[in-house]
Amino acid sequence: METIATRPKSLTDLQFTYCPGCLHGVAHRLIAEVMDELDMRDNTMGVAPVGCSVFAYKFFNCDMAEAAHGRAPAVATGMKRARPSMHVFTYQGDGDLAAIGTAEIIHAANRGEKITRFFVNNAIYGMTGGQMAPTSLPGMKTSTSPYGRDTDDVGFPIKVSELMSALEAPYYIERVSLLTPQDIIKAKKAVRKALLFNKEGRGFSMVEFLSTCPTNWGLDAIESLEWAKENMLPYFPLGVYRDKSVEEA
Amino acid sequence: MGEKVLMKGNEAVAEAAIRAGCRLYFAYPITPQSELIEYMARMMPKVDGTFLQASSEVAAINMVYGAAGCGRRVMTSSSSPGISLKMEGISYLAGANLPSVIVNVQRGGPGLGDIQPAQGDYFQATKGGGHGDYRLIVLAPSSVQEFADSASDAFDLADKYRIPVMILADGLLGQMMEPVEFKPAKTEAELAELDKQHLDWAMYQNKPEPNHHHHEINSLEIDPHELEKHVLKLDQKYKLIQKNEVKHEEYNVNEDNEILCVAFGTASRIVKSAIDQLKKEGHNVGLVRPITVWPYPSEAVLNAVSKNVKKVVVFELNLGQMVEDVRLAVNGKVPVDFMGKVGGLVFTPEEVKTKIEENL
Ligand SMILES: Cc1ncc(C[n+]2csc(CCOP(=O)(O)OP(=O)(O)O)c2C)c(N)n1
Ligand code: SF4
């Protein structure tokens, strides 16, 4: 019998702990597939965040560190500096990266740390039960913005890829979506570029995934995909925000 | 052994750390420890080491977490307000069993306080500071020589027990110049050995098996029974450290002491001058100086309360922190008195002498 799909060896055989319809698992799988394809696993170390993907340190089958909330970029910096021959990636949610860890992420990017950042933007705090995130959309109701996000009061959602692309050092920044099969194919290409640039030691690379949180959005899996397409895509435009490989070519 | 050189404490501890094999250093500037970060900025590139000025103490301590997780000798330093910021990371280092060295060149507090020497972070260093049940080994040097020596001791202890070790100095020790003799620098072969010592658990080119054998640096145990096991295991380590690693110095401690003093770090130097002066005037006063303030030399303090000791007097550059450990150690055998100085001020030998005389 021919095997046409197996679990990537860069994932352990543990069951994901994500809710049905959650796209964290899809993001994990894309990263692991590319790690396999680029034969990177044995020389890769990752950093898991605090958030729903906290157990990423168990799911990815390479050496992994579990960081304090928001500190993954600093932890990854220490790892990369300690073992420069290794490839280092981080995986963070929007609360982790764009609220509590804003300083760490900006400065790691600004230094051009030769690491890859995977950023899962689901516009909400998943793990703690659906509070407002720095990326929650204007008017969006969450448990800490029960009347809808009031931009006069708490400002606008942070566009992380745009913000990072204001810095000189980052090598590659792209925002992709996980909302349709076609989008997932495109997302994998971005993951591949990011990890390849990492493997080649070119510089800081980041992929922002537009994702969902059916559980805390109070929608089912299909509805949440639709909601994200209608609400997130217009606010967070997909695309390449930085690609120095093109400039170099 | 090399010749003696005249050096500031902040620079001596940095030089000693490099000689002890520290090749990664992450920190954020703050007075009165800036000479330390500046020395590292100059010297680390010369030994192919990493110097990185982090965006905050929070970032610095988490860089330490990452580098320590890779099994390498790594250090950070700061002064009181910056150490407060590091507390989250220190708790994670302790929880994840990561060897690392943190230097606190204490200044006056609370809040922004001032930039003068103080010992107000004793509680923070020895009783927690960060969240959860954890301990640090805390070394309290009292001279530039000892400050320098504490660096290699700290790295050795950190590696031996897989624990963060704090060197609790103060602004005076950091700023003052004294002759210091350094231990020889680690050779290439020794450095290579150091690099290998943690590969059985650290992150680095570990070849994971399909059945989940990669290395994890982690302090999370979501199952309460697993967390209980983890914390109790940490506690066993702490008990072992309490048994094996307590260090103190005795100064003029004898069977005929009338008063026993207890002081650590800079404060102990002033107490020694007062004791010398009192000796000339015919009074027999002893001093126990804890070198490890955690684990605390409780037994040594109690044993030094000999039959003629009327009182124990504790001197600290704070409002009375270590005195609580002294009271626990003495356990009511004799009264315990206290003299403190705050604001970044340091008591004079005369003030200390007067305080002792009041108790004679
Ligand atoms: C210092 C600290 N503050 C708060 C928390 C609680 N906390 C855990 S996860 C989280 C938010 C995670 O949200 P996000 O990063 O968006 O990830 P998601 O769960 O949505 O994937 C918070 C606030 C914590 N663990 N540590
Ligand atoms: S709470 Fe949301 S983000 Fe977290 S696993 Fe469930 S669906 Fe995914």
Side-chain angles (χ1 to χ4, degrees):
Chain A
M1 203 165 57
E2 191 192 356
T3 311
I4 48 169
T6 70
R7 206 171 170 79
K9 73 177 166 81
S10 296
L11 287 179
T12 60
D13 48 15
L14 293 179
Q15 277 248 297
F16 287 153
T17 40
Y18 302 113
C19 308
C22 176
L23 300 177
H24 268 304
V26 177
H28 283 19
R29 176 152 187 129
L30 293 185
I31 296 164
E33 283 178 2
V34 173
M35 273 166 68
D36 282 9
E37 288 162 20
L38 296 175
D39 195 19
M40 289 175 74
R41 184 194 67 158
D42 290 352
N43 291 311
T44 297
M45 313 189 283
V47 189
V50 176
C52 282
S53 47
V54 66
F55 289 121
Y57 71 88
K58 287 183 194 280
F59 298 146
F60 287 103
N61 198 9
C62 59
D63 287 353
M64 293 290 295
E66 164 48 37
H69 195 21
R71 316 299 176 212
V75 172
T77 299
M79 288 159 64
K80 182 67 183 173
R81 302 291 178 125
R83 300 292 183 196
S85 65
M86 299 289 286
H87 315 306
V88 179
F89 76 91
T90 62
Y91 187 104
Q92 294 183 265
D94 42 61
D96 197 78
L97 181 142
I100 195 166
T102 319
E104 282 74 26
I105 180 68
I106 289 192
H107 286 277
N110 192 48
R111 287 191 302 270
E113 292 295 336
K114 294 186 171 57
I115 59 182
T116 301
R117 165 118 335 104
F118 296 111
F119 167 40
V120 177
N121 179 356
N122 59 7
I124 204 155
Y125 283 15
M127 189 191 209
T128 39
Q131 295 84 6
M132 188 181 71
T135 49
S136 294
L137 293 163
M140 187 171 164
K141 285 189 178 163
T142 70
S143 64
T144 52
S145 58
Y147 309 109
R149 179 178 187 143
D150 176 357
T151 52
D152 282 344
D153 190 34
V154 292
F156 289 84
I158 296 180
K159 298 179 177 181
V160 172
S161 289
E162 288 84 337
L163 189 67
M164 293 300 148
S165 61
L167 304 171
E168 284 299 318
Y171 190 84
Y172 172 69
I173 300 169
E174 181 164 355
R175 182 185 288 126
V176 297
S177 118
L178 299 173
L179 305 173
T180 68
Q182 294 82 346
D183 283 354
I184 292 174
I185 293 169
K186 281 192 205 150
K188 184 163 174 186
K189 287 195 179 128
V191 171
R192 192 179 170 87
K193 266 173 132 176
L195 284 178
L196 186 67
F197 294 152
N198 186 330
K199 190 177 177 188
E200 293 172 351
R202 297 216 205 176
F204 178 91
S205 55
M206 179 176 108
V207 178
E208 173 175 349
F209 300 98
L210 294 189
S211 186
T212 59
C213 179
T215 300
N216 289 303
W217 290 358
L219 301 171
D220 68 24
I222 305 294
E223 289 167 348
S224 57
L225 292 174
E226 291 311 314
W227 189 89
K229 281 182 217 161
E230 267 166 46
N231 296 283
M232 290 179 79
L233 284 177
Y235 193 88
F236 298 111
L238 303 183
V240 176
Y241 285 85
R242 171 75 52 81
D243 188 347
K244 286 194 184 172
S245 74
V246 174
E247 294 158 32
E248 282 165 9
Chain B
M1 281 262 161
E3 84 251 48
K4 289 207 170 196
V5 282
L6 197 63
M7 246 177 151
K8 275 194 175 189
N10 281 335
E11 297 192 335
V13 74
E15 173 62 29
I18 293 174
R19 284 168 182 254
C22 173
R23 287 295 178 276
L24 294 123
Y25 170 86
F26 305 99
Y28 187 84
I30 183 170
T31 310
Q33 68 86 56
S34 288
E35 295 83 0
L36 207 171
I37 181 171
E38 287 162 4
Y39 192 88
M40 287 298 199
R42 289 198 301 278
M43 302 311 283
M44 272 300 188
K46 297 189 183 182
V47 293
D48 283 334
T50 294
F51 164 82
L52 189 60
Q53 179 170 328
S55 54
S56 70
E57 291 84 353
V58 176
I61 195 73
N62 283 283
M63 291 171 185
V64 168
Y65 180 92
C70 293
R72 299 202 61 199
R73 285 199 158 177
V74 55
M75 180 164 119
T76 185
S77 64
S78 188
S79 177
S80 310
I83 296 292
S84 291
L85 274 185
K86 287 185 196 293
M87 279 298 150
E88 176 198 49
I90 289 174
S91 168
Y92 277 73
L93 285 165
N97 287 300
L98 293 183
S100 42
V101 175
I102 303 129
V103 180
N104 182 2
V105 184
Q106 293 172 93
R107 61 189 242 183
L112 204 47
D114 65 13
I115 56 172
Q116 304 306 320
Q119 297 181 321
D121 304 347
Y122 179 91
F123 279 154
Q124 185 194 52
T126 62
K127 315 279 178 207
H131 56 287
D133 272 304
Y134 76 90
R135 294 288 186 179
L136 306 176
I137 296 178
V138 187
L139 308 176
S142 72
S143 66
V144 171
Q145 179 69 58
E146 213 187 335
F147 197 8
D149 291 342
S150 70
S152 58
D153 291 347
F155 278 110
D156 289 345
L157 287 166
D159 283 332
K160 183 171 170 190
Y161 294 99
R162 287 183 59 188
I163 190 174
V165 178
M166 180 177 282
I167 302 176
L168 188 65
D170 62 63
L172 198 74
L173 220 48
Q175 298 296 321
M176 97 182 147
M177 287 182 104
E178 278 183 333
V180 53
E181 190 176 324
F182 289 105
K183 293 181 182 157
K186 296 260 185 235
T187 61
E188 285 302 317
E190 286 169 327
L191 288 174
E193 275 310 302
L194 280 183
D195 231 35
K196 279 192 247 149
Q197 66 178 329
H198 294 308
L199 290 186
D200 59 325
W201 58 264
M203 299 179 288
Y204 182 48
Q205 286 185 330
N206 175 49
K207 302 276 183 285
E209 306 290 321
N211 52 351
H212 193 52
H213 272 162
H214 62 271
H215 288 171
E216 289 168 4
I217 300 303
N218 174 40
S219 61
L220 174 69
E221 291 293 353
I222 204 77
D223 175 344
H225 298 289
E226 288 304 311
L227 183 62
E228 181 189 38
K229 264 193 237 159
H230 173 62
V231 177
L232 291 179
K233 208 166 155 199
L234 286 177
D235 192 48
Q236 278 174 4
K237 168 162 90 178
Y238 300 146
K239 295 212 163 89
L240 198 66
I241 293 169
Q242 281 177 305
K243 198 170 131 230
N244 294 337
E245 307 298 346
V246 181
K247 250 172 125 176
H248 75 285
E249 182 201 348
E250 293 185 358
Y251 189 77
N252 197 44
V253 169
N254 56 57
E255 280 299 302
D256 301 317
N257 284 152
E258 302 157 72
I259 296 283
L260 180 72
C261 299
V262 186
F264 71 97
T266 288
S268 71
R269 295 169 67 112
I270 304 156
V271 176
K272 282 181 185 176
S273 312
I275 288 177
D276 292 346
Q277 195 54 43
L278 284 159
K279 203 171 185 177
K280 285 186 200 143
E281 296 169 17
H283 292 293
N284 193 341
V285 178
L287 166 75
V288 171
R289 174 176 76 89
I291 296 172
T292 53
V293 283
W294 199 91
Y296 195 76
S298 306
E299 232 176 270
V301 170
L302 181 63
N303 291 343
V305 183
S306 50
K307 57 184 188 308
N308 295 328
V309 168
K310 288 198 286 283
K311 233 177 199 179
V312 174
V313 191
V314 178
F315 294 91
E316 297 179 75
L317 301 177
N318 58 41
L319 280 184
Q321 300 193 16
M322 181 185 71
V323 64
E324 294 190 1
D325 287 326
V326 175
R327 288 207 171 100
L328 283 173
V330 171
N331 199 16
K333 195 170 166 187
V334 293
V336 175
D337 201 358
F338 172 77
M339 177 176 177
K341 193 91 174 171
V342 288
L345 300 170
V346 178
F347 29 58
T348 61
E350 290 67 39
E351 287 172 310
V352 171
K353 184 167 165 271
T354 309
K355 178 74 186 176
I356 296 173
E357 282 166 345
E358 282 169 16
N359 284 289
L360 276 168

